[in-house]
Amino acid sequence: MVPLCIAIFWACSGQQQLTTAKIDINGTEMLYGRISRDQLFYDFPEWENGYGSYEPDSSVVAKLHQTGYDDRILLFLGTWCHDSMREVPRFFRILDQAGLYDAGKISIWAVDRAKKLADNTTDTYDVYFVPTIIFMKANREIGRIVEQPENRLEDDMLNILSGKND
């Protein structure tokens, strides 16, 4: 009876067993299309190492938390891209430490080397470089970080979320 209850609980909890979603495009293994953070870290565990090794400035993280930002974020990355490999784990670490991570409000796309997607989403959002992180408010873009931050990532995020990036 107990094993059955555990199995039912696990099945109903929404937890899925991840399997690889890597594809091969012109000899390069990559993720492509709409993905989740869990899928990214599953298929590219070295990205999770980057997450664990980054320590953002705690005073900036506290200010990010105070913004109370709770709108949509669009993230475009390339699993083949060194800038993405460096910045995306840091981005997740900052969001987590600031208490701003909400998987339901972050849309993540993995692009090919041409920075394209089959549904032309990259064209819709004018994505030409990765990573591109777009912050939205009421369905309008309020700022973006492209390829690498101008300062530290947490500083650039704070500038956008506090309206100081104008």
Side-chain angles (χ1 to χ4, degrees), residues 20 22 28 34 39 41 50 53 72 82 106 111-112 123 149 163:
T20 189
K22 287 182 186 179
T28 302
R34 194 76 184 267
Q39 189 69 56
F41 286 167
S53 66
R72 291 181 48 225
H82 294 291
I106 298 179
V111 301
D112 63 14
D123 295 330

Side-chain angles (χ1 to χ4, degrees), residues 1-53:
M1 180 69 172
V2 171
L4 177 61
C5 291
I6 292 170
I8 291 171
F9 173 76
W10 184 80
C12 294
S13 69
Q15 296 292 327
Q16 277 185 351
Q17 183 67 28
L18 290 174
T19 58
T20 189
K22 287 182 186 179
I23 61 169
D24 184 287
I25 298 179
N26 298 323
T28 302
E29 277 193 334
M30 64 181 73
L31 293 177
Y32 181 76
R34 194 76 184 267
I35 64 167
S36 68
R37 176 167 91 165
D38 289 342
Q39 189 69 56
L40 175 65
F41 286 167
Y42 177 83
D43 278 325
F44 291 89
E46 62 274 19
W47 288 46
E48 197 164 15
N49 295 337
Y51 171 96
S53 66

Side-chain angles (χ1 to χ4, degrees), residues 31-96:
L31 293 177
Y32 181 76
R34 194 76 184 267
I35 64 167
S36 68
R37 176 167 91 165
D38 289 342
Q39 189 69 56
L40 175 65
F41 286 167
Y42 177 83
D43 278 325
F44 291 89
E46 62 274 19
W47 288 46
E48 197 164 15
N49 295 337
Y51 171 96
S53 66
Y54 186 64
E55 284 303 324
D57 182 315
S58 59
S59 65
V60 177
V61 168
K63 291 175 185 172
L64 280 165
H65 176 75
Q66 291 171 354
T67 68
Y69 184 78
D70 69 347
D71 216 312
R72 291 181 48 225
I73 299 173
L74 312 177
L75 171 60
F76 296 87
L77 62 88
T79 54
W80 43 266
C81 169
H82 294 291
D83 290 332
S84 292
M85 186 183 296
R86 181 187 62 247
E87 300 302 335
V88 170
R90 292 177 179 183
F91 169 70
F92 287 133
R93 178 74 170 209
I94 293 164
L95 287 179
D96 285 344

Side-chain angles (χ1 to χ4, degrees), residues 54 56 60-61 63-65 67 69 73 87-101 106 133-135 142-145 148-165:
Y54 186 64
V60 177
V61 168
K63 291 175 185 172
L64 280 165
H65 176 75
T67 68
Y69 184 78
I73 299 173
E87 300 302 335
V88 170
R90 292 177 179 183
F91 169 70
F92 287 133
R93 178 74 170 209
I94 293 164
L95 287 179
D96 285 344
Q97 287 192 359
L100 300 177
Y101 180 78
I106 298 179
I133 305 166
I134 303 172
F135 297 88
I142 60 170
R144 66 174 59 198
I145 299 169
Q148 59 188 10
E150 291 181 22
N151 301 294
R152 293 177 302 186
L153 185 56
E154 57 267 32
D155 293 322
D156 286 8
M157 289 170 64
L158 181 60
N159 287 340
I160 291 169
L161 299 184
S162 63
K164 295 179 182 173
N165 67 320

